[in-house]
Amino acid sequence: MKTTTNQSVHTNQLVQALNCPRRFLYAQSLAQSTILFPLRTEYYEQLEKLVRPFALISGQPHDPTQRSLEILKAETCGRNLRFEKDGLRTNIPFLFEKEDGTYKAIYPYCSTSPKESLLNGLVIDTMICQACGVDISEHEFVYLNPSYVRKENSQPADFFKITSHLMKKRGGFNRLSATEQIQQKMSHIRFEQLAQMTQKLLHSNLDDFCVRRVSACTRPNKCPYYEECFNEQDLPDFASAFLSSSSSREWIEEKGITRLSDITSDLFEGTPMQYAQIKADQNGGLFMDEQAIRYWIEQIEYPISYLDFEWETFAIPPYINMKAFDVLCFQYSIHIEDEQGQLDHKTFFATGDCRKDFIDHLLQDIPEQGSIMVFNMEGAEKLRLRQLANQYPEYRIQLEQLANRMIDLQSPFENGCFYDLRQRGKSSLKTLMPLFSSRASYEQLDIHNGMEAVFAYRQALLSKDPDEVAKIGQQISEYCSMDTYAERELFLGLKKKLEEL
């Protein structure tokens, strides 16, 4: 049986190319950096249990279209069926024949809502199948139930919901069904046009497409090929390209403005961070709002507890009282500093359902008084405490008290009270640390960042060797401890900068 040609483009690739042809072309020749997704092991297990009663015949990778058509003819349904036509290919997760001879396509999505961003891919899928003789007249989506709380007797169906509509960008499901939206889009383009577009892409090169810096380059996450397009590593620290969160950046570049200090007031939004960046360039490299920083420091009380958590995110909640995409904290580090500058250190690491142990040890280790210093607390540690409070209501008062004592170490930097041109538009802990101290270094550690810590934790979960688990736990603890030590160094360095004024 003849297999497919390599000169074909999958639906996902074509959607990517429609958004950015350069990203599509880079992906053909360059490796993409590893992406950390929530743990999906149980998601696939529960989904498999959900569809098992249908006993669907499954297609295989590289199946020709004819094989998929044979499965549908023999079974009237199938899963993972592959279709290819004129250089375009796709895989449909589930297909069921309807009474009128058309088909219902069902897509499972590891998300709490199927979003409208899927629409272009669904249109292309439908057109490929139609060109292969399979008319899809209905679309449904199986997605994770965001409100379901896991119980001891949970069944596979409890974790999922089904809809025929897509979620709008600003929230709420679209009034039209996905099928109606697809039909509207299909009225504006023919399959032959898609095929021609695909062939043109396959025979294109990077020089055919100009480099344009748009919001999609960095939002919601920076494109893995961002540096290939913009070569920011070669830019000076004062480059206008580092202007923070600017919708006018492309316009600034078109006007030939290359440094921050040359940006006029009509060309930026006037956020505190942007103001700090421009002033830093005007001041020779550094801007500090002395009064604002002093006011921020005055609210900090000793003993100071520098705190950092590490956690795993689960698509389907593995333990009772958890919801879809809830997290499980498996590690913390606390450096405790008294008024004399003496340090004490506490740490915790565990695998499995360690939530209660985590809470008990944390409440025991952290001082009852003083400020709790956290870097980016609102999106991290404070949120984690409140999630734990929802899962363990008996600890709610104590955990809320901890959350209320937190001080965000990122605040002076994120709010534009401090900016050093060497930040190059960033304000992460690892970006800021070298500006204040050389004593906190991640280079000698086995684990260098949070993503590596999570991958190491996953390895520990799978390991049957207690010694290996203990070794991994030690490596993660060393990384997390470096984070809290770096928090202290950053705070002391900021205070020293004030003294030098």
Side-chain angles (χ1 to χ4, degrees):
M1 188 176 290
K2 186 180 178 182
T3 57
T4 58
T5 174
N6 291 327
Q7 282 296 94
S8 63
V9 176
H10 191 276
T11 291
N12 295 338
Q13 295 174 305
L14 183 55
V15 170
Q16 185 182 87
L18 293 174
N19 293 328
C20 179
R22 291 181 64 88
R23 179 167 179 167
F24 166 79
L25 293 171
Y26 277 127
Q28 308 309 303
S29 57
L30 298 178
Q32 184 171 323
S33 56
T34 303
I35 299 175
L36 179 63
F37 291 108
L39 198 60
R40 300 181 180 185
T41 306
E42 187 160 7
Y43 167 79
Y44 293 118
E45 291 176 358
Q46 295 294 343
L47 183 64
E48 192 62 33
K49 291 177 183 178
L50 190 69
V51 303
R52 190 174 295 158
F54 295 100
L56 299 172
I57 301 297
S58 180
Q60 300 298 320
H62 309 296
D63 272 353
T65 301
Q66 185 59 36
R67 173 57 182 158
S68 298
L69 296 174
E70 290 170 356
I71 291 174
L72 289 178
K73 183 177 180 180
E75 305 291 335
T76 72
C77 57
R79 64 184 299 187
N80 299 328
L81 300 183
R82 190 177 188 281
F83 299 93
E84 181 175 351
K85 183 74 172 178
D86 295 342
L88 282 165
R89 70 180 192 277
T90 192
N91 294 72
I92 308 298
F94 300 99
L95 273 176
F96 293 87
E97 187 174 11
K98 300 169 64 176
E99 291 183 358
D100 62 0
T102 63
Y103 288 86
K104 175 195 288 188
I106 300 179
Y107 289 81
Y109 282 108
C110 189
S111 167
T112 53
S113 64
K115 297 178 176 59
E116 275 192 332
S117 58
L118 303 170
L119 187 56
N120 285 339
L122 295 169
V123 171
I124 297 169
D125 275 1
T126 304
M127 295 181 77
I128 294 173
C129 290
Q130 191 177 71
C132 293
V134 175
D135 185 8
I136 299 177
S137 63
E138 187 177 354
H139 299 77
E140 284 189 344
F141 311 96
V142 178
Y143 64 102
L144 291 172
N145 186 343
S147 60
Y148 181 71
V149 179
R150 180 155 192 158
K151 302 176 178 61
E152 290 187 6
N153 59 347
S154 292
Q155 300 300 311
D158 296 331
F159 299 108
F160 299 97
K161 297 185 76 173
I162 298 177
T163 184
S164 57
H165 295 254
L166 297 172
M167 182 75 74
K168 294 183 289 187
K169 288 182 179 180
R170 298 185 181 276
F173 283 98
N174 199 292
R175 179 180 56 83
L176 298 177
S177 70
T179 300
E180 291 171 321
Q181 289 185 277
I182 290 167
Q183 289 171 347
Q184 282 187 349
K185 279 187 167 283
M186 285 177 61
S187 66
H188 298 293
I189 188 170
R190 295 179 293 105
F191 177 78
E192 290 76 16
Q193 291 174 290
L194 278 179
Q196 290 172 7
M197 187 185 308
T198 302
Q199 290 305 312
K200 183 177 179 180
L201 281 167
L202 287 171
H203 294 89
S204 298
N205 57 62
L206 289 168
D207 294 334
D208 295 330
F209 305 98
C210 63
V211 178
R212 295 188 63 195
R213 195 191 311 270
V214 297
S215 60
C217 297
T218 55
R219 298 175 187 172
N221 297 304
K222 181 175 285 190
C223 172
Y225 310 110
Y226 183 90
E227 287 299 333
E228 276 72 17
C229 280
F230 302 109
N231 298 315
E232 287 188 351
Q233 291 181 344
D234 299 330
L235 294 177
D237 294 342
F238 56 72
S240 61
F242 298 126
L243 185 65
S244 173
S245 305
S246 175
S247 60
S248 306
R249 188 180 291 132
E250 185 178 349
W251 175 239
I252 291 170
E253 291 178 351
E254 287 180 359
K255 289 180 71 70
I257 298 174
T258 59
R259 68 179 301 157
L260 291 164
S261 58
D262 291 334
I263 298 175
T264 54
S265 59
D266 60 313
L267 292 176
F268 71 100
E269 291 83 350
T271 67
M273 173 60 85
Q274 291 175 347
Y275 175 80
Q277 290 181 288
I278 293 170
K279 294 299 291 184
D281 191 18
Q282 293 173 349
N283 295 343
L286 179 66
F287 170 79
M288 287 184 66
D289 186 335
E290 179 182 357
Q291 184 175 354
I293 294 175
R294 289 191 188 280
Y295 177 79
W296 177 80
I297 289 176
E298 286 174 0
Q299 66 182 312
I300 297 168
E301 300 177 355
Y302 285 89
I304 301 174
S305 300
Y306 302 93
L307 179 65
D308 184 68
F309 296 167
E310 301 297 332
W311 60 82
E312 172 65 284
T313 306
F314 297 87
I316 279 189
Y319 306 117
I320 60 171
N321 293 334
M322 293 179 71
K323 295 182 180 180
F325 294 104
D326 266 358
V327 306
L328 184 140
C329 298
F330 57 81
Q331 163 75 40
Y332 70 69
S333 170
I334 313 170
H335 272 93
I336 305 165
E337 181 183 14
D338 63 21
E339 290 191 73
Q340 288 72 45
Q342 297 297 310
L343 277 183
D344 190 16
H345 184 235
K346 306 287 185 180
T347 188
F348 172 90
F349 172 82
T351 56
D353 187 4
C354 60
R355 291 173 294 167
K356 191 173 184 303
D357 282 346
F358 183 94
I359 296 171
D360 287 334
H361 281 82
L362 180 64
L363 294 175
Q364 178 181 328
D365 286 345
I366 208 160
E368 295 181 1
Q369 305 294 327
S371 297
I372 301 173
M373 190 78 74
V374 181
F375 197 89
N376 184 26
M377 69 181 186
E378 294 295 342
E381 281 72 13
K382 181 178 281 192
L383 181 59
R384 304 286 86 85
L385 290 181
R386 288 176 173 161
Q387 288 174 331
L388 285 170
N390 290 333
Q391 295 167 16
Y392 291 88
E394 64 271 28
Y395 289 101
R396 183 178 301 278
I397 293 177
Q398 293 160 288
L399 293 176
E400 283 288 351
Q401 288 174 343
L402 293 186
N404 291 336
R405 289 164 53 196
M406 285 185 173
I407 303 291
D408 195 344
L409 181 56
Q410 191 180 30
S411 179
F413 306 98
E414 195 174 47
N415 294 334
C417 298
F418 178 99
Y419 188 78
D420 187 308
L421 287 180
R422 290 174 292 173
Q423 293 176 227
R424 298 168 73 85
K426 302 175 184 177
S427 57
S428 68
L429 182 61
K430 290 181 177 63
T431 298
L432 294 166
M433 194 58 244
L435 308 180
F436 294 92
S437 173
S438 60
R439 293 190 292 180
S441 174
Y442 295 81
E443 293 181 2
Q444 75 276 19
L445 301 179
D446 294 296
I447 293 173
H448 304 93
N449 55 56
M451 184 172 68
E452 290 182 6
V454 172
F455 283 133
Y457 169 76
R458 292 178 181 180
Q459 184 180 344
L461 282 180
L462 296 173
S463 178
K464 305 296 184 182
D465 183 355
D467 292 335
E468 182 184 24
V469 174
K471 180 181 179 181
I472 291 172
Q474 180 62 32
Q475 291 172 344
I476 295 175
S477 295
E478 289 172 354
Y479 164 73
C480 190
S481 299
M482 184 61 72
D483 271 350
T484 52
Y485 182 74
E487 288 175 355
R488 183 199 181 229
E489 289 292 290
L490 184 56
F491 178 60
L492 294 179
L494 188 60
K495 289 175 67 176
K496 185 177 180 181
K497 290 283 188 184
L498 277 179
E499 294 169 0
E500 293 173 350
L501 289 179

